[in-house]
Amino acid sequence: MRRTIATPETDIFLMRVLLVEDDDLIGCGVEAGLRQAGFTVDWARDGHKADLALSTTDYALVILDLGLPRISGTEVLRRLRTAGKDVPVLVLTAKG
């Protein structure tokens, strides 16, 4: 979902991103970078919270870790696609 803020110089598009990451160090870094770039960020720290957020909010992008507690990132993605949602998903994981 995009919100437009018009300024005299330019139009800035703010997009809502769902960050799904259980590691605090990685999550804080990614969240800070996204916010600094002008994105609105919701951060879910487990698969269950991500599933809930995705069922109630429209996102422009999902950044998804695969190794999550409660529900795996793979299952979150499967449920998202089964629900017919075509939001872009960037998989960011430490799995080898």
Side-chain angles (χ1 to χ4, degrees):
M1 193 58 50
R2 285 197 280 195
R3 292 180 292 152
T4 305
I5 299 175
T7 65
E9 298 83 24
T10 186
D11 288 335
I12 300 171
F13 294 99
L14 295 180
M15 298 191 315
R16 185 172 217 87
V17 174
L18 178 62
L19 171 61
V20 187
E21 174 59 64
D22 63 318
D23 183 283
D24 286 337
L25 184 61
I26 294 170
C28 283
V30 173
E31 180 186 37
L34 288 168
R35 288 189 190 280
Q36 185 176 19
F39 293 93
T40 300
V41 181
D42 293 340
W43 183 3
R45 289 174 172 84
D46 66 55
H48 177 74
K49 290 177 183 162
D51 203 36
L52 180 61
L54 289 164
S55 69
T56 59
T57 306
D58 290 326
Y59 291 97
L61 174 69
V62 177
I63 300 175
L64 179 64
D65 181 19
L66 296 181
L68 298 170
R70 300 183 74 185
I71 300 173
S72 74
T74 304
E75 179 63 15
V76 170
L77 181 55
R78 187 193 68 74
R79 291 178 183 189
L80 180 67
R81 295 301 185 230
T82 299
K85 296 190 177 183
D86 62 353
V87 59
V89 176
L90 173 64
V91 174
L92 179 67
T93 190
K95 285 188 172 186

